[in-house]
Amino acid sequence: PSGPEIVRDYDILKLKIFNRSGIIIYSSVKNDIGGTSNHPAWQARALSGEVSHKQEFRDTFIGATGEMHGIYLAVTYMPLVYEGKSIGAIEIYRDATPVFEHLNTNTIRIPLIVFGGFSLLFVALFFYVRRTDRTIAEWQQALLESENRRRLLEQQKLAQISLDGFFVARTADTRILDANEAFCNMVGYSREELLTMCLSDLESDESPLEIAAHIKRIMKLGYDRFETHHHHKQGHLIDLEVSVSYSEMNGGMNFVFARDITERKFIEEQLRLKEFVLDQADEAAYLMDERGFGFLYVNEAACRSLGYSREELL
């Protein structure tokens, strides 16, 4: 929110990012954007998930700092992965000229030095590769964390204006990390009180062991929707319809939307009770729709008097 994030500053001559179609969507040299790779075979391997490290000599090379001449390059192609899926490829150029110049100066002397020089080259390029790999890993992690933060902020903003209750619980210990005002009103606790509680302090239908098993199922499926009961601060139970989404961010978090269905359950129970009472009555009783064209309810006495089964009448 405060501005662009910088992972780390590296001595990279040029960096390009390709989308899945092989088009450059970012480059430290702006004129490259919209173009394609000079090494399509390397790029194709990166898009398929393979890492490639190459060396080449360029008479002329245009980097982020301008035009360079007579330069040896260490080039890395690597897949750009987000949430386990390849979304593009990254191409990085580094200056390997000092290594080659050092070898050119010393390899004239004796064959042993030549062997040692190539060993030095191998070691130098190995560290170039390792350093590049670490750089890419840090960039990818920074991209992932930035996207996760953006999603979390969007969910929190949505939750605060939602009429439904919303809270976030840590997967490992079910500790409540956040809750909106609607959920606080629903269970009778303040937000400060809820942040000191775990899910087992509210849940009535499941024991801590059952909650842990339920969470494992949610982690496997990624989502669940069910009905349950929570303890209200005043001591009574409230009926809830719950929707849970699991996220791997910050070690695992559950995003929970809860709707109070206590009144609906009460009405349903009253209707079932009335139907039970009517079913015991000796007099025929039935309920028609508002147009008088169809039965919505019939009791057993009505079925006997009309000579039809309940299923036929309904």
Side-chain angles (χ1 to χ4, degrees):
S2 60
E5 296 181 8
I6 298 175
V7 178
R8 193 177 297 173
D9 203 8
Y10 284 96
D11 54 341
I12 295 173
L13 297 179
K14 183 190 291 190
L15 177 136
K16 300 178 185 177
I17 298 178
F18 301 87
N19 61 17
R20 290 291 302 171
S21 300
I23 304 300
I24 300 171
I25 59 174
Y26 170 79
S27 174
S28 53
V29 177
K30 293 184 179 180
N31 291 338
D32 292 339
I33 297 175
T36 56
S37 173
N38 294 325
H39 307 290
W42 301 357
Q43 180 198 66
R45 285 197 289 269
L47 290 173
S48 66
E50 182 180 337
V51 179
S52 299
H53 303 289
K54 304 292 183 181
Q55 300 80 44
E56 62 177 33
F57 176 80
R58 293 277 189 92
D59 288 324
T60 303
F61 175 79
I62 299 177
T65 58
E67 192 172 287
M68 307 173 71
H69 299 280
I71 184 171
Y72 290 93
L73 300 170
V75 189
T76 297
Y77 274 82
M78 178 174 284
L80 180 60
V81 179
Y82 178 68
E83 291 189 345
K85 297 181 180 179
S86 174
I87 60 172
I90 298 179
E91 179 185 68
I92 293 180
Y93 289 87
R94 291 181 177 278
D95 186 2
T97 304
V99 177
F100 280 92
E101 287 181 346
H102 178 77
L103 292 175
N104 288 336
T105 302
N106 292 279
T107 51
I108 302 175
R109 300 178 182 176
I110 55 175
L112 187 59
I113 297 179
V114 173
F115 176 78
F118 278 107
S119 299
L120 177 63
L121 172 62
F122 175 81
V123 172
L125 292 179
F126 172 79
F127 283 107
Y128 267 116
V129 168
R130 290 292 300 276
R131 190 178 182 187
T132 300
D133 289 349
R134 287 195 300 269
T135 304
I136 297 300
E138 290 179 359
W139 285 336
Q140 290 180 341
Q141 184 62 28
L143 285 171
L144 178 59
E145 291 177 356
S146 177
E147 178 64 13
N148 285 341
R149 283 196 299 272
R150 183 188 66 80
R151 287 183 177 181
L152 180 58
L153 287 173
E154 288 180 352
Q155 289 177 324
Q156 288 175 332
K157 289 177 181 177
L158 177 63
Q160 291 304 323
I161 63 174
S162 173
L163 297 178
D164 289 336
F166 173 82
F167 66 94
V168 182
R170 190 161 51 209
T171 302
D173 56 7
T174 73
R175 173 74 66 179
I176 296 176
L177 304 177
D178 197 8
N180 70 350
E181 184 177 356
F183 186 72
C184 294
N185 295 334
M186 196 176 294
V187 295
Y189 291 96
S190 67
R191 181 175 179 274
E192 290 71 22
E193 289 174 319
L194 287 172
L195 297 187
T196 67
M197 301 169 66
C198 295
L199 187 55
S200 57
D201 297 323
L202 295 172
E203 176 62 34
S204 170
D205 291 0
E206 296 180 341
S207 68
L209 288 178
E210 290 172 328
I211 292 174
H214 195 169
I215 287 176
K216 286 183 178 179
R217 294 196 299 271
I218 294 173
M219 291 173 64
K220 183 177 180 180
L221 298 174
Y223 175 82
D224 195 13
R225 184 171 183 171
F226 55 94
E227 292 183 4
T228 188
H229 295 87
H230 275 189
H231 294 284
H232 193 277
K233 185 177 180 179
Q234 294 180 357
H236 61 274
L237 294 179
I238 56 174
D239 294 273
L240 295 181
E241 184 180 70
V242 176
S243 298
V244 184
S245 296
Y246 170 71
S247 171
E248 294 180 349
M249 72 172 64
N250 298 331
M253 301 170 69
N254 286 327
F255 297 91
V256 184
F257 280 91
R259 177 170 296 175
D260 189 344
I261 57 172
T262 304
E263 184 176 357
R264 189 185 81 189
K265 286 291 186 179
F266 176 77
I267 294 173
E268 290 175 354
E269 184 61 29
Q270 293 300 307
L271 289 174
R272 282 194 294 268
L273 180 60
K274 289 178 181 179
E275 289 180 1
F276 174 78
V277 172
L278 290 174
D279 276 342
Q280 310 308 310
D282 294 330
E283 295 80 10
Y286 53 86
L287 178 67
M288 308 290 292
D289 65 23
E290 60 183 4
R291 298 175 299 170
F293 291 160
F295 291 98
L296 299 178
Y297 166 79
V298 292
N299 69 354
E300 290 296 330
C303 295
R304 289 193 299 270
S305 66
L306 296 174
Y308 291 94
S309 70
R310 177 175 292 179
E311 290 73 19
E312 288 173 323
L313 288 174
L314 292 180

